[in-house]
Amino acid sequence: MSTDELRAAMEAVLLQQLDRREPRDEAADARRSWAGNGGTSLEAYAAVMRIEEELGVVIPVARLLGPASLDEVLASALSAPARPARQETWTDGGDAVPATASQRRHWRHAQGEGSAAFLNMELAIRCLRDFDADRAESAFRALVTRHESLRNRYVLDADGRLMLQEVADWPTRVVFERHTATASAEDATAVIRTAVGRPFALDREPPVRGGCVPLPDGAAVVYFVIHHIAADGWSTDLLTGEFLELYTTPDTALPPATPFSAYAGMLDARAREGSYADDIAYWRKKFERVSPDFTIARREAQPGAQRAGSLRLSWDGAGQAEAVRAAAREHGVTTYSLLLASLLAAAHALSGEDDVVVMSGVANRNSARVRDTVGLFTNQIFFLGDFRRTDDIRSYLQDVHRDVVESLGRSELPIEVVLDELDAYTRARTLAPYANILFQAADAPIDPPAIRDGSWAGHSLGTGSIKRHCNIHLIDTPDTLALDLDYSLALVGREDAGRLLAAVRIGVEQLTVSPDASVAQLVERVREAAGERGPELTVFTVDYPGARSEPALASFVRESFPECHVVELPVPRSLDPDEFEECLKRCREAVGRVEGPGIVLSYCSASAWARYLTAEMSDRALRLIAVNGNTVTAADWDEECVDVVRRLAPDTAPSLPAGEPLDGSAAPAEQWAAAGRTLAAMGQALESAYGARFGEPLGRVARETMGVQLAWLAYLGTCTVLGTLAAAEHGEALLFPGDLQDDAAELVARLRPELVLPGVNDAEDDAR
């Protein structure tokens, strides 16, 4: 194929992709940019994948989304080698390759207790007739045979690196459980939830399992559970489609899939070559502008996040959606970038921060080679908005779009590399460092033939899995332009979710009809739309840190009592007296910023801190309610350490040096010092156990994981000391038993009389 023929073929692919979007005012034109033609980022990915597969030319998606015309993009692609030199670092994998930075973080999480529901990804589909369990199991095992990531185990090598190691016979050993038939789909869901909640032993078993639950009349529910270390959201859609193809046509021979280890090996090779130095510098510079604690909720918030509900903001009036799209085309930006510009302004209005940040999840499948590979490719990129600026909306829009394009161009590097360097995961008070708004374009749902013909259907497990962000999905199809907000956040409740979307709507209107206005005018209109909160009871929540399968306390309150204003108070996690005093200072400031009635609501071990706070802040009339408010004793603390050691080295008989008395007889300073010495002894015991399990010297991953566990033990140490201080006593505390997962309904009933303000919440109660 000549150069002219190749260029014509590439242009045809791009224009065909653009012209699929109907109705159009005019045909796509190669003299305009991709965004100027109304193309979306998802359509851009589809186009460059097709060009790579059919024509062998690689066009970076960031280049296609940039300001250049399609003619210029094609000329640039044809003047460069068809396969960039960086592609040469691809390998075929091997016996063992280093895990990616994202996988290392998931492995660290997996070493702690209570994280199964967060790290286990589930999918379920329902066969509506003539279910064949043998064919289902055969199809499931074929998937494990096909995808290397489902056959990988995760082990530490002699240097302490986390490695992917393939186990050849796991397709025959993987668990596909045939459950006893149930009377209804609801009963089947209850059975599956138990399987979903069981953790994986990542060094000893496949990171996937499946099963089926027969139903009456020949129906059944089939489910898979996959550890997040081995898969992402794209992977689950891929597996669903492939399973149905293998089930309905058992003789199907799917083409080989690229091993995930080839991708992981490529990342490792490029990192060792220094290929990501510029990307790392780019992200470090970007993160210098914002705090890892950024949240739209207010500085004192500490998001935890559990699904509480959803809202939709749609442009469905006469010409509304087309007006938004036309404005985006006029400015040469995507609809996504235009809506992001409004979302950044709304986040500024709610948070009061001049520098705001929004995160996006990207599939990160930047090569057609891995389009059909199961694995953990997904990544996060971050967009910043600076609202100190004094220029006009046109310039602001261009800057937002440029930020999107530049960030997409640097999405291959796992962002954990930079966040680990910045120690963000331990420094941040939020569960998602630097951002808890996740804004991304929603892809079309999978639609394989077996679902189209009505023989199979999707099946929701409704597990209420933990959410770490305020999830906003852009639906941008020919028929719909909408934002779906899952306010699963301990970040905003129902009222603030409505304020956020109201602000976004007005922001989009300003961006669309008043492009010559100033950014200051945009901000003022958005702030007016966001409005102010009405009178409310403030609930100051005090919760224990760390990943857990149960909801966070703040999100539990926001979901159950949306009429309340929830402020999450920081909890001391260090035995350093100076850090303890700093935490107390931050709590005082957070409480001082809020007027009106308030309640301190604590959970579990954090109740020790809540008691101490309410006694120390006796100048502020704060009632204390403790849910499952257990007291951590020195013996409890020691036992927790011994349990961790035994999990690592079950054949040893761990012993700790005799702890110093923590009975309240000593002065507070002496108590902190004694607890610090005890923690140091625990650290020595833990390091010895890690050495026995993984060999010495300890590698990076083992040390990172040990650091997470030591941080937990340090937190328990603060609880132990607080439990001995006389000032922690509070005579007016209400004590309620139960936990947030299993006793939620009972706790809501007990708390309701305490969290209702006469004259403020009556309307909400009447609505119920």
Side-chain angles (χ1 to χ4, degrees):
M1 185 181 293
S2 69
T3 301
D4 288 343
E5 291 173 329
L6 182 57
R7 188 205 176 285
M10 293 165 62
E11 179 179 315
V13 171
L14 296 178
L15 296 182
Q16 286 170 11
Q17 183 67 50
L18 289 168
D19 282 329
R20 290 174 58 188
R21 179 172 286 262
E22 298 293 345
R24 294 188 61 88
D25 294 334
E26 54 187 343
D29 189 338
R31 292 169 296 182
R32 295 196 296 266
S33 69
W34 182 264
N37 275 295
T40 69
S41 57
L42 293 177
E43 291 165 343
Y45 274 105
V48 298
M49 286 277 190
R50 183 178 164 193
I51 288 174
E52 182 181 350
E53 288 181 315
E54 297 179 4
L55 303 172
V57 179
V58 176
I59 300 178
V61 72
R63 184 179 302 164
L64 182 57
L65 287 169
S69 69
L70 300 185
D71 284 334
E72 293 170 317
V73 170
L74 294 177
S76 175
L78 290 171
S79 66
R83 293 285 179 181
R86 280 163 61 103
Q87 286 292 101
E88 297 174 2
T89 57
W90 279 93
T91 69
D92 291 328
D95 292 337
V97 299
T100 69
S102 302
Q103 289 180 311
R104 289 198 303 270
R105 181 164 66 92
H106 286 335
W107 192 86
R108 292 199 303 265
H109 280 307
Q111 306 314 301
E113 292 184 305
S115 61
F118 172 44
L119 293 168
N120 289 5
M121 304 175 66
E122 71 277 353
L123 65 91
I125 47 179
R126 184 173 174 182
C127 179
L128 301 179
R129 57 178 180 265
D130 304 324
F131 177 69
D132 186 328
D134 291 336
R135 285 167 60 187
E137 180 170 348
S138 177
F140 173 72
R141 296 190 186 281
L143 290 178
V144 180
T145 300
R146 171 171 161 74
H147 292 291
E148 180 210 54
S149 66
L150 305 183
R151 303 191 305 275
N152 281 337
R153 70 188 188 111
Y154 300 83
V155 295
L156 299 184
D157 68 4
D159 296 323
R161 296 181 303 170
L162 183 64
M163 308 295 289
L164 312 178
Q165 190 175 79
E166 185 179 356
V167 182
D169 67 344
W170 271 0
T172 60
R173 293 168 52 194
V174 67
V175 172
F176 185 86
E177 189 169 359
R178 302 191 186 196
H179 297 274
T180 303
T182 63
S184 67
E186 291 75 17
D187 293 337
T189 297
V191 171
I192 295 170
R193 284 178 182 168
T194 300
V196 169
R198 292 199 301 270
F200 287 96
L202 295 173
D203 58 343
R204 299 189 298 278
E205 65 174 326
V208 61
R209 56 178 170 265
C212 60
V213 185
L215 299 171
D217 301 325
V221 179
V222 175
Y223 69 90
F224 302 160
V225 187
I226 312 165
H227 197 283
H228 203 358
I229 201 171
D232 53 19
W234 181 298
S235 300
T236 58
D237 285 349
L238 181 67
L239 288 171
T240 301
E242 290 186 353
F243 170 82
L244 290 174
E245 186 173 357
L246 291 166
Y247 177 90
T248 54
T249 54
D251 296 331
T252 296
L254 295 176
T258 300
F260 180 78
S261 61
Y263 170 76
M266 177 270 292
L267 289 183
D268 182 62
R270 291 183 182 172
R272 286 186 282 104
E273 293 164 2
S275 299
Y276 296 122
D278 288 345
D279 294 347
I280 291 173
Y282 170 85
W283 290 113
R284 288 184 68 96
K285 183 177 180 180
K286 179 173 278 193
F287 289 140
E288 285 176 0
R289 286 177 48 188
V290 289
S291 163
D293 290 337
F294 175 77
T295 166
I296 69 168
R298 289 178 187 89
R299 275 290 184 190
E300 66 268 18
Q302 192 172 351
Q306 178 78 9
R307 176 180 289 276
S310 61
L311 293 173
R312 168 168 282 206
L313 170 60
S314 60
W315 286 265
D316 49 11
Q320 284 184 0
E322 183 50 35
V324 175
R325 295 186 179 114
R329 291 196 300 271
E330 179 185 347
H331 291 291
V333 304
T334 61
T335 308
Y336 177 94
S337 293
L338 188 145
L339 293 177
L340 171 63
S342 180
L343 177 59
L344 288 167
H348 166 63
L350 265 68
S351 69
E353 299 289 338
D354 287 328
D355 289 309
V356 297
V357 59
V358 168
M359 178 172 61
S360 180
V362 290
N364 206 30
R365 311 239 173 182
N366 298 323
S367 168
R369 182 172 181 176
V370 295
R371 185 180 62 183
D372 296 331
T373 298
V374 169
L376 180 58
F377 294 86
T378 187
N379 199 6
Q380 286 78 44
I381 54 178
F382 295 76
F383 314 125
L384 299 184
D386 177 4
F387 290 95
R388 300 178 184 86
R389 58 193 305 155
T390 58
D391 53 358
D392 59 28
I393 286 176
R394 291 182 189 274
S395 300
Y396 169 60
L397 265 178
Q398 293 299 323
D399 286 347
V400 170
H401 185 62
R402 189 179 302 113
D403 192 12
V404 171
V405 173
E406 290 179 354
S407 298
L408 279 172
R410 300 179 184 277
S411 65
E412 184 177 270
L413 171 74
I415 198 65
E416 285 85 354
V417 170
V418 181
L419 296 179
D420 279 341
E421 284 189 6
L422 298 174
D423 197 27
Y425 292 108
T426 56
R427 287 174 51 225
R429 288 189 292 131
T430 62
L431 290 174
Y434 292 97
N436 46 35
I437 306 176
L438 180 69
F439 177 48
Q440 57 195 40
D443 207 347
I446 61 167
D447 189 26
I451 289 181
R452 288 199 301 271
D453 69 18
S455 56
W456 287 76
H459 183 79
S460 174
L461 294 175
T463 55
S465 58
I466 289 178
K467 299 287 184 180
R468 303 304 194 193
H469 319 104
C470 167
N471 297 320
I472 305 177
H473 291 89
L474 168 62
I475 314 298
D476 187 7
T477 68
D479 300 324
T480 304
L481 180 61
L483 296 180
D484 282 342
L485 166 63
D486 287 340
Y487 58 100
S488 56
L489 40 170
L491 158 76
V492 294
R494 187 173 304 165
E495 181 181 354
D496 278 350
R499 294 172 65 213
L500 177 67
L501 290 189
V504 169
R505 177 181 288 282
I506 294 301
V508 170
E509 178 182 306
Q510 291 295 106
L511 294 168
T512 303
V513 303
S514 304
D516 295 320
S518 68
V519 173
Q521 290 172 311
L522 166 69
V523 167
E524 183 59 30
R525 290 286 290 116
V526 168
R527 186 175 288 119
E528 291 173 0
E532 296 295 333
R533 285 177 167 273
E536 59 200 341
L537 171 70
T538 298
V539 179
F540 299 97
T541 60
V542 181
D543 199 2
Y544 71 91
R548 74 281 294 279
S549 57
E550 61 187 346
L553 177 61
S555 51
F556 170 83
V557 176
R558 284 192 171 98
E559 177 180 358
S560 306
F561 305 97
E563 64 273 21
C564 293
H565 175 209
V566 180
V567 174
E568 297 172 81
L569 298 180
V571 175
R573 307 183 188 186
S574 168
L575 290 167
D576 182 340
D578 291 338
E579 291 186 25
F580 179 83
E581 290 299 324
E582 175 64 22
C583 188
L584 178 60
K585 176 184 175 183
R586 284 163 49 198
C587 287
R588 285 185 178 279
E589 291 173 347
V591 172
R593 283 193 288 267
V594 176
E595 298 180 355
I599 287 177
V600 175
L601 180 64
S602 65
Y603 186 55
C604 203
S605 53
S607 296
W609 178 235
R611 292 189 182 94
Y612 186 87
L613 280 178
T614 50
E616 285 289 307
M617 296 188 291
S618 56
D619 55 320
R620 176 73 183 269
L622 294 171
R623 297 177 59 221
L624 172 61
I625 301 176
V627 175
N628 197 11
N630 58 310
T631 300
V632 179
T633 66
D636 297 328
W637 190 22
D638 286 348
E639 183 178 349
E640 182 73 13
C641 180
V642 169
D643 286 344
V644 173
V645 170
R646 281 180 177 151
R647 288 201 301 271
L648 290 164
D651 297 331
T652 64
S655 61
L656 297 173
E660 300 182 47
L662 296 175
D663 57 8
S665 58
E670 296 175 10
Q671 296 272 50
W672 290 117
R677 291 189 290 271
T678 299
L679 182 64
M682 290 178 173
Q684 294 173 1
L686 202 57
E687 185 165 8
S688 176
Y690 266 91
R693 173 75 178 274
F694 301 115
E696 295 179 344
L698 295 180
R700 172 185 172 183
V701 177
R703 287 198 171 277
E704 288 172 342
T705 307
M706 185 173 67
V708 172
Q709 292 169 330
L710 277 174
W712 170 250
L713 290 173
Y715 160 74
L716 291 180
T718 66
C719 296
T720 303
V721 174
L722 286 167
T724 69
L725 298 180
E729 295 301 326
H730 192 292
E732 299 181 5
L734 290 175
L735 306 178
F736 292 144
D739 65 70
L740 304 181
Q741 184 70 42
D742 298 326
D743 305 308
E746 292 84 350
L747 284 173
V748 169
R750 292 190 184 105
L751 288 170
R752 180 162 301 285
E754 311 302 329
L755 303 187
V756 171
L757 287 180
V760 174
N761 302 324
D762 293 347
E764 184 78 25
D765 291 338
D766 292 343
R768 291 191 180 91

